[in-house]
Amino acid sequence: QIQSSNSIFDAVIIGAGWAGLGAAHSLKQNGIDNVLVVEARDYVGGRSITSHHFGPDNPVDLGASWIHGAHRNPIQELVKRYDVPFGRAEGEWKDTAVWYDCGGDLIAPSKMREIKKLRKGFMKYMRRRQKNNEPDTSLESVVDDYCRAKGIEPGSDEDHALRWILDAEIVQEYAAELKDLSLKYWDIDDELSGDDSYLAVGNGGGYSSVVQRYAAGIEANIRLQTKVTKVDYCDANCITLTCQDAFTGEKCEPIRAKCAIVTLPLGVLKAESVTFAPELPKSKQEAICTLGSGLMNKVALCWEGMEEEKIFWPMDKEWILHLAPNADADLITEFYNPCSFDPKQRVLIGFVIGEAARTMEAIDDAEIADRAVQSLRSIFGEDMVPPPSKVLVTRWEADEYSRGSYSFQKVNSLEHSRRDLARPVADGRLHFAGEATDEKFPATTHGALLSGKRAGRAVVSQLKSKPSQ
């Protein structure tokens, strides 16, 4: 059992997502058992959460869905250890994707070759611009420059096709629009080799199945429904957390520890819903300000009990992509099909990014579902797509414990922004972890986990270098 509220812990960790759990495991594996993890939610995992609203055969990951690069990936190793089902995902550019034009017809191979050639030309141009060491600018301005250089008229079919393909490849991946993404620091992170893994397949699949089992070994050290409102590190010997019950709002006893690890999402740090005393160093405040917090929301549609012969989408294709008309911003252009891994599933998941996702958060579920159905009918025909039996919609920016999906390098952010965000303060007593702090693998669950382990090891060193008090 964790110690009573008037104890001084060796370490307290704010957040029970992948970073927080990784930090706690690292501490305990190094003989530091007097550890407390505080989490505002009533579950562990943070933005890794699986819904079973559609029933046990149709799990839906509301946040993280993929393991990116399965080879020597610590999350993939946990999946195998716990025997959690998964599917090997191949991405939009493989044969597992199907592409439709504005009229809802399959894009002809010759047209697809033209689009891919256009994409290849732009990517070469963008890489050259990156190497020029010019002042930073947005990817959108680079697209505009490329189109002018190539004589591509604004609003033309070629212009529309290029922006659509970049939306599928870049915007969807980074959860940020081209106007916000930095040319200078785009794609500077590392990638693990191997295919991606998709977890929400089969009965027992989903990210929650992995993270809950990972947390099981330290559950006595976790305190849920505890919202931190202030981190006070004025005292050279003790860090004090001011907390309240996340549901009742009642004030809790302060939590004191020799060291602390903050794993709050970047969006929460930006919102300043947790205060620090004294204020965080200027370099850290600058990092919080200049890094971008991306937004990706999902619209999951379920046709419960639909007979196989009535399934209107291609069951064997992972991705369904639509070159929607320019004028129709309400249409969702990218859907994921878990049925390609698990034939029992009757679910399609649409993705909405950036400003469209923010606008969507103010709309009720019924209207969002109607837009998603209309998007599918514009591909497969009015009579082919029945209303779904159930709908799930995420609103990650409205979530006060996330305030967004994951981080990205914004225009005019700095090369060392993530390093500054991760850097300890208070003579090594206050540490920071989370996907936004990881320079190699940001915006991934394995990046979050590795950052937590890194912070945990640093706290072990800090505690062992100081005499017991």
Side-chain angles (χ1 to χ4, degrees):
Q1 292 292 315
I2 56 175
Q3 296 191 25
S4 60
S5 58
N6 60 0
S7 301
I8 294 182
F9 294 93
D10 285 330
V12 62
I13 300 163
I14 304 173
W18 281 111
L21 297 175
H25 272 282
S26 182
L27 285 158
K28 288 179 72 68
Q29 286 163 3
N30 284 278
I32 310 294
D33 295 315
N34 188 23
V35 175
L36 178 65
V37 182
V38 291
E39 168 58 54
R41 303 180 191 274
D42 61 356
Y43 66 88
V44 298
R47 290 165 282 176
S48 293
I49 170 76
T50 307
S51 169
H52 293 95
H53 178 66
F54 297 159
D57 291 333
N58 292 292
V60 176
D61 277 323
L62 303 180
S65 298
W66 287 271
I67 297 171
H68 295 290
H71 183 60
R72 299 182 71 178
N73 187 308
I75 306 289
Q76 185 71 38
E77 289 169 7
L78 293 174
V79 166
K80 291 179 180 177
R81 182 192 305 172
Y82 303 138
D83 198 25
V84 174
F86 66 94
R88 289 291 187 198
E90 297 191 36
E92 296 98 325
W93 295 103
K94 306 293 184 181
D95 292 337
T96 54
V98 58
W99 306 73
Y100 294 91
D101 64 17
C102 294
D105 296 318
L106 284 170
I107 295 178
S110 58
K111 177 67 174 175
M112 206 58 223
R113 283 193 294 272
E114 288 177 20
I115 293 173
K116 289 181 178 181
K117 184 179 178 181
L118 189 63
R119 165 194 169 272
K120 186 177 180 180
F122 172 75
M123 297 301 274
K124 282 185 176 180
Y125 174 82
M126 184 166 64
R127 293 295 188 192
R128 284 199 303 271
R129 290 278 298 268
Q130 268 189 316
K131 291 176 182 177
N132 287 345
N133 202 28
E134 61 186 74
D136 199 13
T137 188
S138 71
L139 293 192
E140 184 172 68
S141 69
V142 179
V143 176
D144 293 340
D145 291 346
Y146 178 77
C147 289
R148 279 192 292 270
K150 295 294 181 180
I152 299 172
E153 291 293 325
S156 65
D157 288 348
E158 203 173 10
D159 178 70
H160 182 38
L162 175 61
R163 293 175 193 275
W164 172 65
I165 209 76
L166 296 177
D167 179 89
E169 182 169 1
I170 296 175
V171 173
Q172 298 280 344
E173 180 178 351
Y174 287 86
E177 297 183 36
L178 295 175
K179 67 180 179 62
D180 297 317
L181 285 163
S182 162
L183 168 66
K184 195 169 187 178
Y185 301 119
W186 175 73
D187 204 31
I188 63 169
D189 48 299
D190 293 342
E191 291 183 355
L192 294 175
S193 60
D195 291 331
D196 292 351
S197 296
Y198 184 79
L199 297 187
V201 297
N203 195 329
Y207 253 102
S208 287
S209 294
V210 188
V211 74
Q212 287 169 5
R213 291 176 201 180
Y214 186 58
I218 54 171
E219 58 190 355
N221 298 82
I222 300 172
R223 188 182 295 174
L224 299 175
Q225 298 177 208
T226 304
K227 178 181 176 181
V228 176
T229 58
K230 183 178 180 181
V231 179
D232 187 330
Y233 60 101
C234 294
D235 189 328
N237 297 313
C238 178
I239 293 175
T240 302
L241 307 186
T242 303
C243 307
Q244 64 186 47
D245 186 293
F247 287 94
T248 67
E250 292 180 12
K251 195 171 181 179
C252 305
E253 287 292 323
I255 296 169
R256 297 178 176 86
K258 297 173 187 175
C259 294
I261 301 173
V262 177
T263 72
L264 297 169
L266 177 64
V268 174
L269 293 172
K270 283 178 174 289
E272 298 182 342
S273 51
V274 178
T275 59
F276 292 84
E279 286 189 347
L280 293 172
K282 186 179 178 182
S283 61
K284 195 171 293 291
Q285 292 186 46
E286 214 169 58
I288 292 168
C289 182
T290 58
L291 285 169
S293 182
L295 181 61
M296 171 188 283
N297 279 322
K298 299 179 183 180
V299 184
L301 310 174
C302 179
W303 291 267
E304 205 169 13
M306 177 181 272
E307 297 172 1
E308 189 170 323
E309 60 270 19
K310 292 186 178 179
I311 293 176
F312 55 85
W313 65 89
M315 290 179 65
D316 61 332
K317 299 299 184 183
E318 259 187 87
W319 291 94
I320 297 166
L321 299 109
H322 183 208
L323 181 57
N326 255 326
D328 206 336
D330 286 345
L331 290 180
I332 296 172
T333 60
E334 190 160 335
F335 288 88
Y336 195 73
N337 172 32
C339 185
S340 61
F341 298 121
D342 182 2
K344 290 181 182 177
Q345 291 215 30
R346 298 294 182 266
V347 174
L348 289 176
I349 302 170
F351 296 87
V352 187
I353 307 295
E355 291 305 319
R358 288 184 181 89
T359 301
M360 189 184 87
E361 293 203 1
I363 300 170
D364 64 44
D365 287 5
E367 185 176 341
I368 293 167
D370 184 62
R371 290 184 182 186
V373 168
Q374 286 306 123
S375 300
L376 292 168
R377 286 174 177 168
S378 69
I379 301 172
F380 299 108
E382 288 287 331
D383 300 329
M384 295 298 294
V385 184
S389 55
K390 291 181 180 178
V391 178
L392 267 174
V393 177
T394 67
R395 292 176 174 84
W396 284 110
E397 190 160 86
D399 185 322
E400 66 172 312
Y401 305 128
S402 294
R403 297 298 184 199
S405 298
Y406 46 84
S407 65
F408 67 92
Q409 294 272 176
K410 200 165 60 173
V411 181
N412 295 320
S413 58
L414 304 172
E415 186 177 5
H416 49 77
S417 290
R418 296 190 188 279
R419 202 178 319 142
D420 289 342
L421 186 57
R423 185 173 289 116
V425 300
D427 297 321
R429 294 181 298 116
L430 181 60
H431 294 253
F432 291 78
E435 57 82 14
T437 71
D438 196 80
E439 289 187 288
K440 291 186 72 176
F441 307 113
T444 65
T445 52
H446 60 274
L449 178 61
L450 292 169
S451 76
K453 289 185 173 184
R454 176 253 307 153
R457 289 191 300 269
V459 168
V460 170
S461 298
Q462 176 75 8
L463 290 170
K464 290 184 176 181
S465 69
K466 300 287 184 182
S468 298
Q469 295 173 7

